[in-house]
Amino acid sequence: MNVNQSAPPVPPFGQPQPVYPGYHQSPYGGQPESTAPPTSYGAYNGPVPGYQQTPPPGVSRAPPPSEAPPASTAQAPCGQAAYGQFGQGDVQNGPSSTLQMQRFPGSQPFGSVPLAPVVSQPAVLQPYGPPPTSAQVTAQLAGMQISGAVAPALPPVGLGYGPPTSLASASGSFPNSGLYGSYPQGQAPPLSQGQGHLGAQPPQRSAPPQASSFTSPASGGPRMPSMTGPLLPGQSFGGPSVSQPNHVSSPPPQALPPGTQMTGPPGPPPPMHSSQQPGYQLQQNGSFGPARGPQPNYGSSYPGASTFGSQPGPPQPLPPKRLDPDAIPSPIQVIEDDRNNRGSEPFVTGVRGQVPPLVTTNFLVKDQGNASPRYIRCTSYNIPCTSDMAKQAQVPLAAIIKPLARLPPEEASPYVVDHGESGPLRCNRCKAYMCPFMQFIEGGRRFQCCFCSCINDVPPQYFQHLDHTGKRVDAYDRPELSLGSYEFLATVDYCKNNKFPSPPAFIFMIDVSYNAIRSGLVRLLCEELKSLLDFLPREGGAEESVIRVGFVTYNKVLHFYNVKSSLAQPQMMVVSDVADMFVPLLDGFLVNVSESRAVITSLLDQIPEMFADTRETETVFAPVIQAGMEALKAAECAGKLFLFHTSLPIAEAPGKLKNRDDRKLINTDKEKTLFQPQTGAYQTLAKECVAQGCCVDLFLFPNQYVDVATLSVVPQLTGGSVYKYACFQVENDQERFLSDLRRDVQKVVGFDAVMRVRTSTGIRAVDFFGAFYMSNTTDVELAGLDGDKTVTVEFKHDDRLNEESGALLQCALLYTSCAGQRRLRIHNLALNCCTQLADLYRNCETDTLINYMAKFAYRGVLNNPVKTVRDTLITQCAQILACYRKNCASPSSAGQLILPECMKLLPVYLNCVLKSDVLQPGAEVTTDDRAYVRQLVTSMDVAETNVFFYPRLLPLTKSPIESATEPPAVRASEERLSNGDIYLLENGLNLFLWVGASVQQGVVQSLFSVSSFSQITSGLSVLPVLDNPLSKKVRALIDSLRAQRSRYMKLIVVKQEDKLEMLFKHFLVEDKSLSGGASYVDFLCHMHKEIRQLLS
């Protein structure tokens, strides 16, 4: 892939902007082409314009890699690795810097690159309001100009909602529409308006800020109010603004030092200005010097403003401006602040509607009546009282529920409550289970349901007196009256056919076609299973697992094995009639491991030898699943099938598939067919599997297209998992495959599960996302559910909510444990309700919002063109932020982008979702890779989507070697890479070790045991085990990262300027991507433009 090759043209975000009459519009917002050097930025999300063929002066550009994979290949070559080892490409976003990026200390706010010497005036704090917390203060720029005496201010509008943070950008200010105050030459107008109206007071610092705002060079400056209708509130025409900021404003930008040049997209064209306003000089495009005369290369000067105020003169060329990346919200800073502020104290769940710490923060949970955020996270913990308010805000109301989440060892698992034959106590009307929010009345003889308000009798055996507060005296002795999460032992009424279930079974179904044998997969798998069968999941302190196992091998026909303990050798039975599948034996197929140990070992030794000389290349697929399901049905138990499969099933049989891979469909209306299954046969089969409690886990080892979109239907609908190892080679992929297999076989699973989410009056669950099947509108059916899977539920209003009583959710999961015990797991959560939009925006959680939006979009591609899905996401995000700007932020210049404090990362994270391989694939991303990632994300939890869309980039040589803590992360951008350093990048599926070309020789020796950079093997996947502090530290860090993730991350060593670097750069998500994805800075400008269009 040539580094200098431009990406295929991609339609820009949103709609084309109207061109102002009277001048020629240039590519990015209208700067003259002649006065600025060409920039490396195209139109928003447009094609990469050959990206910077000539480096800017003073920065040397390294030569492009000598060899690179062709961009147009439809299938990734086998040597590459990523989501199934596919190679991702990326554009070099500007020159590879040979200078080390200067890192500012962590204590500085995220926008803290000082643009100018700080004006030496004392920082005066208001005498009222709570002191700003560190998180709030960090949201402010360093070096704010505080001027004038402090006067008592009015309380901020909107229930004490603090003023927005003012973020100055390196590009100065937009021409503020209608705010051309007469500032001295070289000074800027205030960049932000605060809350509350203080008349013409000077700016002051007030209550803690709750929003981030900064000026962005979005294309097209704000038009004059005379063009757009009445003035916005708080704006005035000429003269200083009446509504002065109630918080800090930015210092006036000083002149840049000689030789300094800001590169990036030029700013907007100035707005039309009436020359009939004497005395208020136009602020031009972020350059607060003398305003310019007519500019060369414009079609004509602006009507009515030929000399821009009264300052004629020769045109003065300006360097193009670009938003300073350090002046826009940083995910790293937000994560760091949350860790510092909330990582030390346990999160106590007793208070309704608390927003938990971020998923990236390590914290302990104390359950005091609401479910832990490890089980349930919400997009907002304060729900609008009315549907009209919810529609206005456009913030989706959703919960990401992980019912069987694994807890850290310091936290207790949910208590199991046994109510004997009477079973758990429930509401007679809505069937909600007893929980801490139920209200006992009439001395404890009755209770009122908190979900439907029905009055129920308390059974005599459950009766208990109430104390003086109306609480039962035994409340703290009963988990269901004092905790948010607990389990009930289910009675026989909760079991299929009214009889208790048998323990589940595992069936291993192994592809023995030519590909599987030749790659060494079959031998490796059989060897591993001999020891792995000792680690089947077991309950509590049980000495051995009660799970029974069975074995099937297959190619075009199926081979069943009798491994009964009384046999000396295993017996094989062949079923060649795949069209009418049946199980040829019952007794001896599913056996207890310890009883049949010798026969199983003998079988696993024989399988690789038996098929060693096979020439059979064709395989079947649907009949294999059918056979496993029939075997479980005959044994009257639930269970799991482990399928190991290598190729597209083209043999004559039900579920036969054809190769339909067609890259020409990308970016057409037919692209959605690539994500849809080829045939309905697999949906029908999945439905039968769910009815039997047969969950399917699929391990794929493709060398070419296998139609993941179709093969993953059964795993997806039965609550199973798909693992993909493209171009599997034992020496390279053995560790990853075996690690995934061990974890998959050992993890605790709930079988034959049904989940229902109940809500209090006013809201109801309307939509569900995840790996499950639904036969009606309320019950989520899962043949299997493990501790990694989530179910996402969206809620809508069906009535008005009450601020006092709040809103309640109860998730009830009925399942069979690994020991064959029928159980009910209950999670309860109480949320606040609000009548003010400001309260909604103050209690949102961006990570959860992005998790929901990604799943919504990834489901959308099944039925809509990808472009429509992308546009829908952008529009929704713009509406959320525009609603905040209109209703919660104080009136201020349209040239500012104001973001809610807890949503300031929404644009950067949303851009990562839009650039992901499902929604915007690069040339080398295969159709199978896209289908694989699509189904993977569908059941990811919030922590997994967080790191998947915004990978972690850790510098390894910056922190002291003796330090045992994880090094602090840096932002995922090439600008942050120093070529004298080594970085580790992880996204939950991949792990890269990037080695800069100028790394010290001692570091190279310590890590790789070679003497120079050139001797490091590119693509290396294992670090040598060396006895020195650095090697130990890096290997320990890699192990700890792998332990945090649900799948094994294979390491790939990438050298700077090597051909693998393209793959690595694909994960630097703040930069422009090769497939046409916008950089963070460009996307932020684009979002600003969208928001302003909505507001105007």
Side-chain angles (χ1 to χ4, degrees), residues 402-531:
K402 196 175 181 184
L404 297 179
R406 281 187 310 279
L407 301 179
E410 311 87 79
E411 293 176 25
S413 296
Y415 287 96
V416 181
V417 181
D418 185 359
H419 281 317
E421 287 184 15
S422 60
L425 187 55
R426 306 174 70 174
C427 167
N428 291 330
R429 186 198 289 161
C430 69
K431 302 296 181 211
Y433 293 86
M434 179 52 65
C435 71
F437 311 124
M438 297 289 190
Q439 191 66 45
F440 286 88
I441 53 175
E442 296 178 25
R445 286 190 296 281
R446 305 174 92 182
F447 70 92
Q448 182 169 23
C449 175
C450 51
F451 293 93
C452 70
S453 305
C454 174
I455 308 279
N456 298 269
D457 290 329
V458 174
Q461 72 274 16
Y462 199 77
F463 173 78
Q464 187 54 271
H465 294 286
L466 308 184
D467 65 12
H468 64 285
T469 63
K471 223 177 174 155
R472 282 173 56 122
V473 291
D474 66 347
Y476 291 107
D477 302 329
R478 289 189 177 273
E480 74 273 23
L481 297 181
S482 56
L483 298 178
S485 301
Y486 42 88
E487 289 199 325
F488 291 121
L489 279 187
T491 59
V492 75
D493 307 335
Y494 291 87
C495 303
K496 220 180 248 179
N497 306 328
N498 276 7
K499 67 178 204 185
F500 284 112
S502 311
F506 284 180
I507 304 177
F508 296 92
M509 317 189 87
I510 305 166
D511 176 348
V512 287
S513 64
Y514 176 73
N515 279 343
I517 296 292
R518 191 198 58 182
S519 67
L521 167 66
V522 175
R523 190 172 295 277
L524 176 71
L525 175 59
C526 290
E527 204 52 48
E528 176 64 25
L529 285 178
K530 289 182 202 170
S531 55

Side-chain angles (χ1 to χ4, degrees), residues 878-897:
Q879 283 173 328
I880 290 171
L881 298 176
C883 174
Y884 172 80
R885 172 69 184 255
K886 184 177 174 186
N887 298 289
C888 307
S890 59
S892 62
S893 138
Q896 275 182 294
L897 173 56

Side-chain angles (χ1 to χ4, degrees), residues 140 383 440 445 650 725:
Q140 310 236 10
I383 297 182
F440 286 88
R445 286 190 296 281
I650 54 172
Y725 310 88

Side-chain angles (χ1 to χ4, degrees), residues 533-778:
L533 293 177
D534 291 330
F535 298 99
L536 299 177
R538 64 194 77 175
E539 281 292 301
E543 283 194 17
E544 59 177 54
S545 175
V546 294
I547 293 175
R548 292 169 296 163
V549 297
F551 300 89
V552 174
T553 56
Y554 67 95
N555 39 45
K556 256 191 346 192
V557 297
L558 276 75
H559 322 106
F560 292 79
Y561 297 94
N562 183 346
V563 281
K564 201 172 177 180
S565 55
S566 56
L567 295 173
Q569 283 294 324
Q571 294 174 347
M572 176 203 229
M573 296 187 183
V574 180
V575 177
S576 52
D577 183 5
V578 288
D580 183 19
M581 187 43 65
F582 67 97
V583 180
L585 75 160
L586 290 179
D587 191 28
F589 179 62
L590 294 177
V591 296
N592 181 296
V593 175
S594 54
E595 290 171 12
S596 298
R597 161 72 61 203
V599 194
I600 290 173
T601 305
S602 168
L603 170 68
L604 293 172
D605 284 337
Q606 289 176 36
I607 288 175
E609 306 308 328
M610 230 181 325
F611 298 99
D613 301 325
T614 186
R615 286 283 167 263
E616 185 55 75
T617 55
E618 293 189 355
T619 55
V620 295
F621 188 74
V624 184
I625 296 175
Q626 181 84 34
M629 184 196 65
E630 297 291 351
L632 293 176
K633 193 183 273 184
E636 295 185 346
C637 69
K640 188 184 260 197
L641 312 182
F642 295 85
L643 243 84
F644 304 90
H645 190 80
T646 59
S647 58
L648 191 69
I650 54 172
E652 276 308 324
K656 173 187 174 180
L657 301 178
K658 61 180 193 291
N659 187 334
R660 54 161 186 165
D661 190 16
D662 186 0
R663 294 193 60 83
K664 291 198 283 293
L665 297 181
I666 292 178
N667 292 327
T668 69
D669 282 355
K670 287 190 176 170
E671 183 173 6
K672 59 187 178 221
T673 59
L674 297 176
F675 296 109
Q676 298 165 354
Q678 270 189 52
T679 156
Y682 287 96
Q683 266 120 329
T684 312
L685 182 58
K687 190 174 167 182
E688 292 171 28
C689 287
V690 172
Q692 183 46 50
C694 167
C695 174
V696 179
D697 279 1
L698 175 60
F699 292 79
L700 282 171
F701 305 87
N703 288 333
Q704 53 200 15
Y705 178 73
V706 288
D707 199 350
V708 173
T710 305
L711 297 189
S712 64
V713 165
V714 179
Q716 178 81 2
L717 292 178
T718 58
S721 308
V722 179
Y723 298 85
K724 181 164 166 286
Y725 310 88
C727 307
F728 180 80
Q729 293 173 309
V730 170
E731 58 277 13
N732 293 335
D733 303 299
Q734 164 177 347
E735 196 180 353
R736 179 171 157 231
F737 163 56
L738 293 182
S739 173
D740 285 343
L741 176 64
R742 286 168 194 150
R743 204 169 179 284
D744 197 56
V745 169
Q746 293 174 38
K747 67 184 170 193
V748 173
V749 181
F751 293 99
D752 215 356
V754 182
M755 185 180 112
R756 182 175 279 195
V757 177
R758 293 178 173 85
T759 52
S760 54
T761 314
I763 52 168
R764 63 195 167 90
V766 291
D767 207 353
F768 299 84
F769 304 81
F772 52 75
Y773 175 75
M774 289 187 82
S775 57
N776 57 38
T777 56
T778 54

Side-chain angles (χ1 to χ4, degrees), residues 830-852:
L831 302 172
N832 286 330
C833 296
C834 59
T835 52
Q836 299 285 331
L837 282 165
D839 291 328
L840 164 69
Y841 282 101
R842 205 185 282 127
N843 291 282
C844 287
E845 209 201 16
T846 301
D847 293 327
T848 312
L849 205 54
I850 287 294
N851 180 290
Y852 166 82

Side-chain angles (χ1 to χ4, degrees), residues 226-240:
S226 58
M227 291 167 65
T228 56
L231 286 171
L232 290 171
Q235 287 187 332
S236 65
F237 221 41

Side-chain angles (χ1 to χ4, degrees), residues 735 966 984 991 1023 1025 1031-1045 1047-1049 1051:
E735 196 180 353
E966 226 172 69
L984 202 55
L991 197 54
L1023 290 179
V1025 178
S1031 175
K1032 286 177 182 169
K1033 180 182 172 178
V1034 172
R1035 284 182 291 111
L1037 176 61
I1038 289 173
D1039 290 343
S1040 107
L1041 293 179
R1042 284 174 173 159
Q1044 293 168 28
R1045 306 293 169 213
R1047 293 177 182 232
Y1048 182 88
M1049 298 184 290
L1051 179 71

